């Protein structure tokens, strides 16, 4: 049973560019959440998707947007990249209706903005 | 609003001695609480969870945590540290007012060093 997968593993972008990160949830999970983990800090919640809509959002600007596809996979898009966007981006999945509250995390995408 | 405070940013223990990682939380509702571990260059792995059943929760790899509502604490312990326990540990809270898949709020993390 494949867990949460993310691509790419690493990414280097230039300030001002745009980036798209991808996530496939664990089999049987329909909810995807994205987190940003800056170096030396705990992950911060960006947003959560289920039924192809953004359901909750953390304190992140509109430059951060996402999408969820009918197969439950998800993308995170970041526009107008800033140096401060350099971080590990984590995707997590969970089954919304099962009453299970923990989330399962992928290995992350490390984004470096130069 | 929910928040988590991990009282120690770094903990150093000798192999074979007990480990204690301290966590205090704040939540407007009855919380779910978790401990996750992150090894270098790895994703987050769930160690254990509390969701209003027994207050003493047992997890993987010999870890356990006790939920104390009166103290708003959820400290993580292990009787005997192993070299493989060296990692970053995160205490996490989620409110249970909504359906599964709630956002998680992470503490700042505790880095554990295990000395031989």
């Amino acid at each position: 049973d494949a867990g949460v997968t993310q691509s790419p593993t690493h990414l280097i972008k230039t300030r001002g560019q745009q980036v798209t990160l991808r996530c496939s949830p664990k089999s049987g999970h329909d909810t995807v959440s994205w987190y940003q983990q800056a170096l030396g800090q705990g992950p911060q919640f960006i947003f959560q998707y289920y039924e192809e809509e953004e359901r909750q959002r953390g304190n992140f600007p509109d430059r951060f947007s996402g999408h969820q596809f009918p197969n439950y996979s998800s993308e995170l898009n970041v526009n107008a990249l800033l140096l401060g966007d350099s971080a590990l981006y984590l995707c997590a999945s969970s089954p919304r209706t099962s009453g299970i509250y923990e989330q399962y995390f992928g290995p992350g995408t490390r984004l470096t903005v130069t | 609003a929910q928040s988590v405070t991990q009282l120690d940013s770094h903990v150093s223990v000798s192999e074979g001695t007990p480990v204690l990682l301290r966590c205090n939380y704040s939540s407007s509702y009855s919380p779910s609480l978790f401990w996750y571990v992150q090894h270098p260059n790895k994703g987050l792995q769930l160690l254990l969870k509390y969701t209003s059943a027994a207050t003493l929760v047992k997890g993987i790899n010999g870890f356990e945590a006790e939920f104390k509502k009166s103290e708003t604490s959820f400290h993580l312990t292990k009787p005997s540290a192993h070299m493989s326990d060296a990692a970053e540990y995160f205490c996490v809270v989620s409110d249970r007012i909504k359906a599964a898949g709630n956002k998680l709020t992470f503490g700042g993390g505790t880095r554990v060093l295990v000395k031989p």
Side-chain angles (χ1 to χ4, degrees), chain A residues 35 37 48 96 100 102-103, chain B residues 36 38 49 100-102 104:
Chain A
Y35 295 81
Q37 185 178 19
Q48 182 180 91
R96 185 170 71 90
I100 299 173
E102 70 266 30
Q103 298 179 16
Chain B
Y36 282 84
Q38 187 175 37
K49 64 181 179 182
N102 272 347
L104 303 179

Side-chain angles (χ1 to χ4, degrees), chain A residues 56 101, chain B residues 1-2 27-32 94-100 102-103:
Chain A
Q56 292 192 70
Y101 298 97
Chain B
Q2 53 196 29
S27 175
S28 302
Y29 306 99
S30 297
S32 289
S94 176
D95 72 66
R96 289 189 285 118
I97 195 70
K98 297 178 183 177
N102 272 347
K103 74 172 188 178

Side-chain angles (χ1 to χ4, degrees), chain B residues 25-80:
Chain B
Y25 71 91
S26 173
S27 175
S28 302
Y29 306 99
S30 297
S32 289
L33 292 159
F34 312 89
W35 278 96
Y36 282 84
V37 61
Q38 187 175 37
H39 288 93
N41 301 314
K42 301 280 189 179
L44 289 155
Q45 180 184 19
L46 179 68
L47 277 179
L48 49 79
K49 64 181 179 182
Y50 165 78
T51 55
S52 82
T55 57
L56 184 61
V57 180
K58 293 189 183 299
I60 62 172
N61 300 335
F63 285 94
E64 64 180 36
E66 185 172 10
F67 173 72
K68 292 186 176 180
K69 185 176 181 179
S70 61
E71 299 177 9
T72 61
S73 69
F74 191 58
H75 301 335
L76 180 71
T77 60
K78 183 173 180 178
S80 177

